[in-house]
Amino acid sequence: MSRVGKLPIQIPSGVTITVDPDFVTVVGPKGTLQQFTMPGITVSQEDNHIIVTRMNDEPKIRAKHG
């Protein structure tokens, strides 16, 4: 697993994140950002962290994960 990819992403105060099956939406004091999720990559929210995991170890999926 990628060293960068396995680190949880901390959500700063004042920022809200919505995780949908196809998109991740981030709303904060400086605006809104919406990003689609790659096939084979799963994004989940736990408390005030975002966890990004991959489905398998195929080279194409590993390249997207880091």
Side-chain angles (χ1 to χ4, degrees):
M1 182 180 260
S2 167
R3 283 183 260 163
V4 173
K6 66 180 174 181
L7 295 175
I9 302 166
Q10 186 171 2
I11 302 170
S13 62
V15 175
T16 58
I17 296 182
T18 306
V19 179
D20 296 323
D22 296 325
F23 288 96
V24 176
T25 305
V26 180
V27 179
K30 294 185 178 182
T32 302
L33 175 68
Q34 188 174 27
Q35 178 67 43
F36 69 91
T37 54
M38 300 282 198
I41 302 293
T42 304
V43 180
S44 61
Q45 185 174 356
E46 296 177 8
D47 298 326
N48 63 342
H49 288 87
I50 296 294
I51 308 296
V52 181
T53 56
R54 62 181 185 230
M55 298 289 188
N56 56 40
D57 286 334
E58 291 180 17
K60 289 183 180 182
I61 303 282
R62 283 195 329 241
K64 295 176 186 178
H65 186 230

Coordinates of all heavy atoms in Angstrom, one line a residue:
M1 N 0.8 -1.2 0.0 CA 0.0 0.0 0.0 C 0.9 1.2 0.0 O 1.9 1.3 0.6 CB -0.9 0.0 1.2 CG -1.9 1.1 1.3 SD -2.9 1.1 2.8 CE -4.4 0.4 2.0
S2 N 0.5 2.3 -0.7 CA 1.2 3.5 -0.7 C 1.3 4.1 0.7 O 0.4 4.1 1.5 CB 0.4 4.5 -1.6 OG 0.9 5.8 -1.5
R3 N 2.5 4.7 1.0 CA 2.7 5.3 2.3 C 1.8 6.5 2.4 O 1.3 6.8 3.4 CB 4.1 5.7 2.5 CG 5.0 4.5 2.8 CD 6.4 4.9 3.1 NE 7.1 4.6 1.9 CZ 8.3 5.1 1.6 NH1 8.9 5.9 2.4 NH2 8.9 4.7 0.5
V4 N 1.6 7.3 1.3 CA 0.7 8.5 1.3 C -0.7 8.0 1.3 O -1.5 8.6 2.0 CB 1.0 9.3 0.0 CG1 0.0 10.5 0.0 CG2 2.4 9.9 0.1
G5 N -1.1 7.0 0.6 CA -2.4 6.6 0.4 C -3.0 6.0 1.7 O -4.2 6.0 1.9
K6 N -2.2 5.4 2.6 CA -2.7 4.8 3.8 C -2.8 5.7 5.0 O -3.4 5.4 6.0 CB -1.9 3.6 4.2 CG -0.5 3.8 4.6 CD 0.1 2.5 5.0 CE 1.6 2.6 5.3 NZ 2.2 1.3 5.6
L7 N -2.4 7.0 4.8 CA -2.5 8.0 5.9 C -3.9 8.6 5.9 O -4.5 8.9 4.8 CB -1.5 9.1 5.7 CG -0.1 8.7 5.8 CD1 0.8 9.9 5.5 CD2 0.2 8.2 7.2
P8 N -4.6 8.7 7.0 CA -5.9 9.3 7.1 C -5.7 10.8 6.8 O -4.7 11.4 7.1 CB -6.4 9.0 8.5 CG -5.2 8.7 9.3 CD -4.2 8.2 8.3
I9 N -6.8 11.4 6.2 CA -6.8 12.9 6.0 C -7.6 13.5 7.0 O -8.8 13.2 7.1 CB -7.3 13.1 4.6 CG1 -6.5 12.4 3.5 CG2 -7.4 14.6 4.3 CD1 -7.2 12.3 2.1
Q10 N -7.0 14.4 7.8 CA -7.8 15.1 8.9 C -8.6 16.2 8.3 O -8.2 17.0 7.4 CB -6.8 15.6 9.9 CG -7.5 16.2 11.1 CD -6.6 16.6 12.2 OE1 -5.4 16.4 12.1 NE2 -7.2 17.1 13.3
I11 N -9.9 16.3 8.8 CA -10.8 17.4 8.3 C -10.6 18.6 9.2 O -10.9 18.4 10.4 CB -12.2 16.9 8.3 CG1 -12.4 15.6 7.4 CG2 -13.2 18.0 7.9 CD1 -13.7 14.9 7.6
P12 N -10.2 19.7 8.7 CA -10.1 20.9 9.6 C -11.5 21.4 10.1 O -12.5 21.1 9.5 CB -9.5 22.0 8.6 CG -9.1 21.3 7.4 CD -9.8 20.0 7.3
S13 N -11.4 22.2 11.2 CA -12.7 22.7 11.7 C -13.2 23.7 10.7 O -12.5 24.4 10.0 CB -12.5 23.4 13.0 OG -11.5 24.5 12.9
G14 N -14.6 23.8 10.6 CA -15.2 24.7 9.6 C -15.4 24.1 8.2 O -15.9 24.8 7.3
V15 N -14.9 22.9 8.0 CA -15.1 22.2 6.7 C -16.0 21.0 6.9 O -15.9 20.2 7.8 CB -13.7 21.7 6.3 CG1 -13.8 20.9 5.0 CG2 -12.7 22.9 6.1
T16 N -16.9 20.9 6.0 CA -17.8 19.7 5.9 C -17.6 19.0 4.7 O -17.4 19.5 3.6 CB -19.3 20.2 6.0 OG1 -19.6 21.0 4.9 CG2 -19.6 20.9 7.3
I17 N -17.6 17.6 4.8 CA -17.4 16.7 3.7 C -18.6 15.8 3.5 O -19.0 15.2 4.5 CB -16.1 16.0 3.9 CG1 -14.9 17.0 3.9 CG2 -15.9 14.9 2.8 CD1 -13.6 16.4 4.1
T18 N -19.0 15.7 2.3 CA -20.1 14.7 2.0 C -19.5 13.7 1.0 O -19.0 14.0 0.0 CB -21.3 15.4 1.3 OG1 -21.7 16.5 2.1 CG2 -22.4 14.5 1.0
V19 N -19.6 12.4 1.4 CA -19.1 11.3 0.6 C -20.3 10.6 0.0 O -21.1 10.0 0.7 CB -18.2 10.3 1.5 CG1 -17.7 9.2 0.6 CG2 -17.1 11.1 2.1
D20 N -20.4 10.6 -1.3 CA -21.4 9.9 -2.1 C -20.7 8.8 -2.8 O -19.4 8.8 -2.9 CB -22.1 10.8 -3.1 CG -22.9 11.9 -2.4 OD1 -23.4 11.7 -1.4 OD2 -22.9 13.0 -2.9
P21 N -21.4 7.8 -3.4 CA -20.7 6.7 -4.1 C -19.8 7.2 -5.3 O -18.8 6.6 -5.6 CB -21.9 5.9 -4.6 CG -23.0 6.1 -3.7 CD -22.8 7.6 -3.3
D22 N -20.2 8.3 -6.0 CA -19.5 8.8 -7.1 C -18.7 10.0 -6.9 O -17.8 10.3 -7.7 CB -20.5 9.0 -8.3 CG -21.2 7.7 -8.7 OD1 -20.5 6.7 -8.7 OD2 -22.3 7.8 -9.1
F23 N -19.0 10.8 -5.9 CA -18.4 12.1 -5.7 C -18.1 12.3 -4.2 O -18.7 11.8 -3.3 CB -19.3 13.3 -6.1 CG -19.5 13.4 -7.6 CD1 -20.5 12.8 -8.2 CD2 -18.5 14.1 -8.3 CE1 -20.7 12.9 -9.6 CE2 -18.7 14.2 -9.7 CZ -19.8 13.6 -10.3
V24 N -17.1 13.2 -4.0 CA -16.7 13.7 -2.6 C -16.9 15.2 -2.7 O -16.3 15.8 -3.6 CB -15.3 13.3 -2.2 CG1 -15.0 13.9 -0.9 CG2 -15.2 11.8 -2.1
T25 N -17.7 15.8 -1.9 CA -17.9 17.2 -1.9 C -17.4 17.8 -0.6 O -17.7 17.4 0.5 CB -19.4 17.5 -2.0 OG1 -19.9 16.9 -3.2 CG2 -19.7 19.0 -2.1
V26 N -16.5 18.9 -0.8 CA -15.9 19.5 0.4 C -16.4 21.0 0.4 O -16.3 21.7 -0.6 CB -14.4 19.5 0.3 CG1 -13.8 20.2 1.5 CG2 -13.9 18.1 0.1
V27 N -17.0 21.4 1.5 CA -17.5 22.8 1.6 C -16.8 23.4 2.8 O -16.8 22.9 3.9 CB -19.0 22.8 1.8 CG1 -19.5 24.2 2.0 CG2 -19.7 22.1 0.7
G28 N -16.1 24.6 2.5 CA -15.4 25.3 3.6 C -15.6 26.8 3.5 O -16.3 27.2 2.6
P29 N -14.8 27.5 4.3 CA -15.0 29.0 4.2 C -14.5 29.6 2.9 O -14.9 30.7 2.6 CB -14.1 29.4 5.4 CG -13.2 28.3 5.8 CD -13.9 27.0 5.3
K30 N -13.6 28.9 2.2 CA -13.1 29.5 0.9 C -13.9 29.0 -0.3 O -13.5 29.4 -1.4 CB -11.7 29.1 0.8 CG -10.8 29.8 1.8 CD -9.3 29.5 1.6 CE -8.5 30.2 2.6 NZ -7.0 30.0 2.4
G31 N -14.9 28.1 -0.1 CA -15.7 27.7 -1.3 C -16.0 26.2 -1.2 O -15.9 25.6 -0.2
T32 N -16.4 25.7 -2.4 CA -16.8 24.3 -2.5 C -16.0 23.6 -3.6 O -15.7 24.2 -4.6 CB -18.3 24.3 -3.0 OG1 -19.1 25.0 -2.0 CG2 -18.8 22.9 -3.1
L33 N -15.7 22.4 -3.3 CA -14.9 21.6 -4.2 C -15.6 20.2 -4.4 O -16.0 19.6 -3.4 CB -13.5 21.3 -3.7 CG -12.6 20.4 -4.5 CD1 -12.3 21.0 -5.9 CD2 -11.3 20.1 -3.8
Q34 N -15.8 19.8 -5.6 CA -16.4 18.4 -5.8 C -15.5 17.6 -6.7 O -15.0 18.1 -7.8 CB -17.8 18.6 -6.5 CG -18.5 17.3 -6.6 CD -19.9 17.5 -7.1 OE1 -20.2 18.4 -7.8 NE2 -20.8 16.6 -6.7
Q35 N -15.2 16.4 -6.3 CA -14.3 15.5 -7.0 C -14.9 14.2 -7.2 O -15.4 13.6 -6.2 CB -12.9 15.4 -6.2 CG -11.9 14.5 -6.8 CD -11.4 15.0 -8.2 OE1 -11.1 16.2 -8.3 NE2 -11.3 14.1 -9.1
F36 N -14.8 13.6 -8.4 CA -15.3 12.3 -8.6 C -14.4 11.3 -8.0 O -13.2 11.5 -7.9 CB -15.6 12.0 -10.1 CG -14.4 11.9 -10.9 CD1 -13.8 10.7 -11.1 CD2 -13.8 13.0 -11.5 CE1 -12.6 10.6 -11.9 CE2 -12.7 12.9 -12.3 CZ -12.1 11.7 -12.5
T37 N -14.9 10.1 -7.6 CA -14.0 9.0 -7.1 C -13.7 8.1 -8.2 O -14.5 7.8 -9.1 CB -14.7 8.3 -5.9 OG1 -16.0 7.8 -6.4 CG2 -14.9 9.2 -4.7
M38 N -12.5 7.6 -8.2 CA -12.0 6.7 -9.3 C -12.6 5.3 -9.1 O -12.8 4.9 -7.9 CB -10.5 6.6 -9.2 CG -9.8 7.9 -9.4 SD -9.8 8.3 -11.2 CE -8.5 9.5 -11.2
P39 N -12.8 4.6 -10.1 CA -13.3 3.2 -10.0 C -12.2 2.4 -9.3 O -11.0 2.5 -9.6 CB -13.4 2.7 -11.4 CG -13.6 4.0 -12.2 CD -12.8 5.0 -11.5
G40 N -12.6 1.6 -8.3 CA -11.6 0.8 -7.6 C -11.1 1.5 -6.3 O -10.4 0.8 -5.5
I41 N -11.4 2.7 -6.1 CA -11.0 3.5 -4.9 C -12.3 3.8 -4.1 O -13.3 4.2 -4.6 CB -10.3 4.8 -5.3 CG1 -9.1 4.5 -6.2 CG2 -10.0 5.6 -4.1 CD1 -8.0 3.8 -5.5
T42 N -12.2 3.5 -2.8 CA -13.3 3.8 -1.9 C -12.9 4.9 -0.9 O -11.8 4.8 -0.3 CB -13.6 2.5 -1.1 OG1 -13.9 1.4 -2.0 CG2 -14.8 2.7 -0.2
V43 N -13.8 5.8 -0.7 CA -13.6 6.9 0.2 C -14.6 6.8 1.3 O -15.8 6.7 1.0 CB -13.7 8.3 -0.5 CG1 -13.5 9.5 0.5 CG2 -12.7 8.4 -1.7
S44 N -14.2 6.9 2.6 CA -15.1 6.8 3.7 C -14.7 7.9 4.7 O -13.6 8.3 4.8 CB -15.1 5.4 4.3 OG -13.8 5.1 4.8
Q45 N -15.7 8.3 5.5 CA -15.5 9.3 6.6 C -15.7 8.6 7.9 O -16.7 8.0 8.2 CB -16.5 10.4 6.4 CG -16.2 11.6 7.3 CD -17.1 12.7 7.0 OE1 -17.9 12.8 6.1 NE2 -17.1 13.8 7.9
E46 N -14.7 8.8 8.8 CA -14.7 8.3 10.2 C -14.4 9.4 11.1 O -13.2 9.9 11.1 CB -13.8 7.1 10.3 CG -14.1 5.9 9.5 CD -13.1 4.8 9.6 OE1 -12.2 4.9 10.5 OE2 -13.1 3.8 8.8
D47 N -15.3 9.8 11.9 CA -15.1 10.9 12.8 C -14.7 12.2 12.0 O -15.4 12.6 11.2 CB -14.2 10.6 14.0 CG -14.7 9.4 14.8 OD1 -15.9 9.4 15.0 OD2 -13.9 8.6 15.3
N48 N -13.5 12.7 12.3 CA -13.0 13.9 11.6 C -11.8 13.5 10.7 O -10.9 14.3 10.5 CB -12.6 15.0 12.6 CG -11.5 14.5 13.5 OD1 -11.2 13.4 13.6 ND2 -10.8 15.5 14.1
H49 N -11.9 12.3 10.1 CA -10.9 11.8 9.2 C -11.5 11.3 7.9 O -12.6 10.7 8.0 CB -10.0 10.8 9.8 CG -9.1 11.3 10.8 ND1 -9.4 11.5 12.1 CD2 -7.8 11.8 10.7 CE1 -8.4 12.0 12.8 NE2 -7.4 12.2 12.0
I50 N -10.8 11.4 6.8 CA -11.2 10.7 5.6 C -10.2 9.6 5.3 O -9.0 9.7 5.4 CB -11.2 11.7 4.4 CG1 -12.2 12.8 4.6 CG2 -11.4 11.0 3.0 CD1 -13.6 12.4 4.5
I51 N -10.8 8.4 5.0 CA -10.0 7.2 4.8 C -10.2 6.8 3.3 O -11.3 6.6 2.8 CB -10.4 6.0 5.7 CG1 -10.4 6.4 7.1 CG2 -9.5 4.8 5.4 CD1 -9.1 6.8 7.7
V52 N -9.0 6.7 2.6 CA -9.1 6.3 1.2 C -8.5 4.9 1.1 O -7.3 4.7 1.5 CB -8.3 7.3 0.3 CG1 -8.4 6.9 -1.2 CG2 -8.9 8.7 0.5
T53 N -9.2 3.9 0.5 CA -8.7 2.6 0.4 C -8.9 2.1 -1.1 O -9.7 2.7 -1.8 CB -9.5 1.6 1.3 OG1 -10.9 1.7 1.0 CG2 -9.2 1.9 2.7
R54 N -8.2 1.1 -1.4 CA -8.3 0.5 -2.8 C -8.9 -0.9 -2.7 O -8.7 -1.6 -1.7 CB -7.0 0.5 -3.5 CG -5.9 -0.3 -2.9 CD -4.6 -0.2 -3.7 NE -3.6 -1.0 -3.2 CZ -2.4 -0.7 -2.9 NH1 -2.0 0.6 -3.1 NH2 -1.6 -1.5 -2.4
M55 N -9.5 -1.3 -3.8 CA -10.2 -2.6 -3.8 C -9.2 -3.8 -3.9 O -9.4 -4.8 -3.4 CB -11.2 -2.7 -5.0 CG -12.3 -1.7 -5.0 SD -13.4 -2.1 -3.7 CE -14.7 -1.0 -4.0
N56 N -8.1 -3.6 -4.7 CA -7.2 -4.7 -4.9 C -5.8 -4.1 -5.2 O -5.6 -2.9 -5.2 CB -7.7 -5.6 -6.0 CG -7.9 -4.9 -7.3 OD1 -7.2 -4.0 -7.7 ND2 -9.0 -5.3 -8.0
D57 N -4.8 -5.0 -5.6 CA -3.5 -4.5 -5.8 C -3.1 -4.5 -7.3 O -1.9 -4.6 -7.6 CB -2.5 -5.4 -5.1 CG -2.5 -5.2 -3.6 OD1 -2.9 -4.0 -3.2 OD2 -2.2 -6.1 -2.8
E58 N -4.1 -4.4 -8.2 CA -3.7 -4.2 -9.6 C -2.9 -3.0 -9.8 O -3.2 -1.9 -9.1 CB -5.0 -4.2 -10.4 CG -5.8 -5.5 -10.4 CD -7.0 -5.4 -11.3 OE1 -7.1 -4.5 -12.1 OE2 -7.9 -6.3 -11.1
P59 N -2.0 -3.0 -10.7 CA -1.1 -1.8 -11.0 C -1.9 -0.5 -11.3 O -1.5 0.6 -10.8 CB -0.3 -2.2 -12.2 CG -0.2 -3.7 -12.1 CD -1.5 -4.1 -11.5
K60 N -3.0 -0.6 -12.0 CA -3.8 0.6 -12.4 C -4.4 1.2 -11.1 O -4.5 2.4 -11.0 CB -4.8 0.3 -13.4 CG -4.2 0.1 -14.8 CD -5.3 -0.1 -15.8 CE -4.7 -0.3 -17.2 NZ -5.7 -0.5 -18.2
I61 N -4.9 0.3 -10.3 CA -5.6 0.8 -9.0 C -4.6 1.3 -8.1 O -4.8 2.4 -7.4 CB -6.4 -0.4 -8.4 CG1 -7.4 -1.0 -9.3 CG2 -7.0 0.0 -7.1 CD1 -8.6 -0.2 -9.5
R62 N -3.4 0.7 -7.9 CA -2.3 1.2 -7.1 C -1.9 2.5 -7.5 O -1.6 3.4 -6.7 CB -1.2 0.2 -7.1 CG -1.4 -1.0 -6.2 CD -0.1 -1.8 -5.9 NE 0.9 -1.7 -7.0 CZ 1.4 -2.7 -7.7 NH1 1.0 -3.9 -7.4 NH2 2.3 -2.5 -8.6
A63 N -1.8 2.8 -8.8 CA -1.3 4.1 -9.3 C -2.3 5.2 -8.9 O -1.9 6.3 -8.6 CB -1.2 4.0 -10.8
K64 N -3.6 4.9 -8.9 CA -4.6 5.9 -8.5 C -4.6 6.2 -7.0 O -5.0 7.2 -6.6 CB -6.0 5.5 -9.0 CG -6.1 5.4 -10.5 CD -7.5 4.8 -10.8 CE -7.6 4.5 -12.3 NZ -8.9 4.0 -12.6
H65 N -4.2 5.2 -6.2 CA -4.3 5.3 -4.8 C -3.4 6.3 -4.1 O -3.7 6.9 -3.1 CB -4.2 3.9 -4.2 CG -4.4 3.9 -2.7 ND1 -3.6 3.3 -1.8 CD2 -5.4 4.3 -2.0 CE1 -4.0 3.4 -0.6 NE2 -5.2 4.0 -0.7
G66 N -2.2 6.5 -4.6 CA -1.2 7.3 -3.9 C -1.4 8.7 -4.2 O -0.9 9.6 -3.5

